[in-house]
């Protein structure tokens, strides 16, 4: 899909739905969950989906999808963001089209950690505004810290706010309550405005369940994502998008949360044309070989 088609698809209905992810704790799978959701929505809707990596200090998604040295990252757009002159065309050129699903485009995160503190609210708001007018759906991954403009602005502007945590008490009770019940309200966002995504790590079966986590945080339930050693191997090898497309477990990852959010935001599922369906191709092949 070219730049004009991306822009037209988004502008025809005004600003796109905006979904923001924030983690309670570092390194629990927030980025894996956010990207999988973006992949599932892009796959199901066939619409241009923008994925914004708003990690200002620990961007990882480029590694997970096999782009070790991205040409354009968030920090390289700073001049346009600072002057509020970023155009939709420039953003689309800066975004990376995922090989396995080209209508999913990724803006890679900040590569200069020493510049993170200088990223302003105005820059974050401008980026999000341009993204919402350039794509049909926008998903932002902000990581697990509130001490930066990207997280605060993304959470304030998001129409759906997803808090990612685990069943470990220190994650959802200690970290989660600190961010969601103490810091977030300072910016006008109450716990009730969040939906919880519960991550299940591959080790052990203990920990608290979704009902208990949501009750403690005061949030609504969205869904769950089970991590595995296989998933971690795909992240390490830069084949996460390929795993989401081809692996039997990967095809199910974030499927139900994606359906829920698509329904919430009125994003319609786009069914492939009949002639592209495997059963149809087999039928035609059979007819050509036998009945015609």
């Amino acid at each position: 899909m070219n730049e004009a088609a991306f822009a037209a698809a988004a502008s025809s209905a005004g600003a796109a739905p905006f979904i923001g992810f924030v983690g309670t704790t570092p390194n629990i799978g927030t980025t894996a969950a956010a990207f999988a959701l973006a992949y599932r929505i892009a796959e199901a809707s066939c619409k241009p989906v923008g994925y914004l990596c708003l990690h200002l200090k620990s961007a990882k998604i480029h590694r997970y999808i096999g782009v070790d040295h991205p040409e354009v990252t968030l920090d390289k757009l700073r001049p346009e963001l600072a002057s509020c002159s970023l155009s939709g065309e420039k953003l689309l050129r800066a975004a990376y089209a995922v090989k396995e699903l080209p209508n999913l485009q990724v803006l890679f995160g900040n590569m200069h950690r020493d510049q993170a503190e200088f990223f302003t609210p105005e820059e974050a708001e401008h980026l999000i505004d341009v993204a919402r007018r350039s794509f049909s759906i926008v998903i932002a991954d902000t990581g697990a810290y509130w001490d930066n403009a990207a997280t605060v602005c993304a959470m304030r502007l998001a129409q759906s706010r997803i808090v990612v945590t685990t069943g470990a008490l220190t994650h959802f009770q200690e970290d989660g309550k600190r961010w969601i019940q103490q810091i977030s309200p300072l910016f006008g966002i109450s716990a009730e405005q969040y939906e919880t995504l519960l991550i299940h790590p591959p080790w052990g079966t203990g920990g608290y369940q979704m009902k208990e986590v949501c009750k403690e945080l005061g949030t609504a339930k969205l869904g769950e994502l089970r991590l595995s050693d296989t998933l971690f191997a795909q992240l390490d090898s830069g084949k996460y998008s390929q795993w989401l497309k081809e692996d039997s477990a990967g095809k199910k990852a974030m499927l139900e949360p994606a359906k829920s959010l698509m329904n919430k935001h009125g994003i319609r599922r786009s069914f492939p044309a009949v002639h592209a369906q495997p059963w149809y191709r087999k039928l035609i092949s059979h007819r050509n070989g036998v009945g015609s």
Side-chain angles (χ1 to χ4, degrees):
M1 186 177 293
N2 59 32
E3 294 173 13
F6 263 79
S11 63
S12 61
F18 179 46
I19 301 169
F21 275 74
V22 63
T24 61
T25 312
N27 303 314
I28 60 173
T30 303
T31 295
F35 183 80
L37 179 86
Y39 193 99
R40 291 282 91 93
I41 292 178
E43 179 182 60
S45 69
C46 297
K47 292 181 179 295
V49 175
Y51 179 95
L52 306 180
C53 177
L54 296 184
H55 284 262
L56 300 185
K57 294 185 178 181
S58 59
K60 295 289 193 306
I61 189 59
H62 60 290
R63 298 281 189 183
Y64 294 166
I65 61 175
V67 185
D68 291 340
H69 304 287
E71 293 183 12
V72 182
T73 51
L74 176 60
D75 50 279
K76 292 187 178 180
L77 297 179
R78 286 292 304 283
E80 289 84 357
L81 295 177
S83 61
C84 289
S85 62
L86 179 67
S87 67
E89 291 77 12
K90 178 66 179 286
L91 176 60
L92 294 173
R93 288 196 298 270
Y96 171 82
V98 175
K99 181 173 63 175
E100 289 79 11
L101 194 63
N103 60 306
L104 173 57
Q105 292 203 319
V106 178
L107 177 63
F108 296 121
N110 177 53
M111 295 291 109
H112 296 287
R113 299 183 63 170
D114 59 333
Q115 297 296 313
E117 296 178 359
F118 300 103
F119 194 85
T120 68
E122 292 77 15
E123 291 172 3
E125 290 172 2
H126 181 51
L127 172 62
I128 292 168
D129 178 65
V130 173
R132 293 186 67 191
R133 299 185 184 280
S134 301
F135 297 97
S136 291
I137 309 101
V138 178
I139 291 93
D141 170 27
T142 67
Y145 297 102
W146 277 82
D147 60 346
N148 64 85
T151 299
V152 172
C153 289
M155 289 300 106
R156 290 188 64 186
L157 295 173
Q159 295 166 301
S160 285
R161 303 173 178 94
I162 315 303
V163 56
V164 181
T165 192
T166 76
L169 197 63
T170 54
H171 292 170
F172 73 85
Q173 186 183 74
E174 185 174 340
D175 295 338
K177 293 182 78 170
R178 179 187 300 118
W179 298 131
I180 304 306
Q181 294 187 354
Q182 297 177 19
I183 302 299
S184 181
L186 298 177
F187 300 100
I189 313 166
S190 64
E192 293 79 12
Q193 293 175 281
Y194 288 90
E195 296 173 84
T196 293
L197 182 79
L198 191 63
I199 298 286
H200 295 284
W203 48 87
T205 57
Y208 291 83
Q209 300 304 306
M210 175 68 83
K211 181 178 180 180
E212 298 162 314
V213 172
C214 289
K215 182 178 180 180
E216 184 74 15
L217 287 177
T219 56
K221 171 186 175 181
L222 176 63
E224 306 182 35
L225 175 64
R226 187 168 298 278
L227 306 182
S228 65
D229 291 334
T230 300
L231 188 155
F232 284 132
Q234 303 309 307
L235 297 178
D236 290 342
S237 61
K239 296 180 179 179
Y240 189 41
S241 54
Q242 183 178 339
W243 182 79
L244 290 169
K245 178 182 180 179
E246 300 176 358
D247 186 86
S248 58
K251 292 177 181 179
K252 299 175 183 177
M254 293 297 289
L255 193 59
E256 293 306 316
K259 288 180 181 177
S260 176
L261 289 168
M262 288 177 69
N263 289 336
K264 176 181 177 180
H265 293 288
I267 303 167
R268 298 180 62 182
R269 182 176 179 85
S270 178
F271 293 95
V274 171
H275 63 266
Q277 297 286 347
W279 61 264
Y280 182 82
R281 293 198 300 269
K282 289 181 180 179
L283 176 61
I284 294 300
S285 176
H286 176 75
R287 285 180 176 175
N288 289 340
V290 178
S292 59

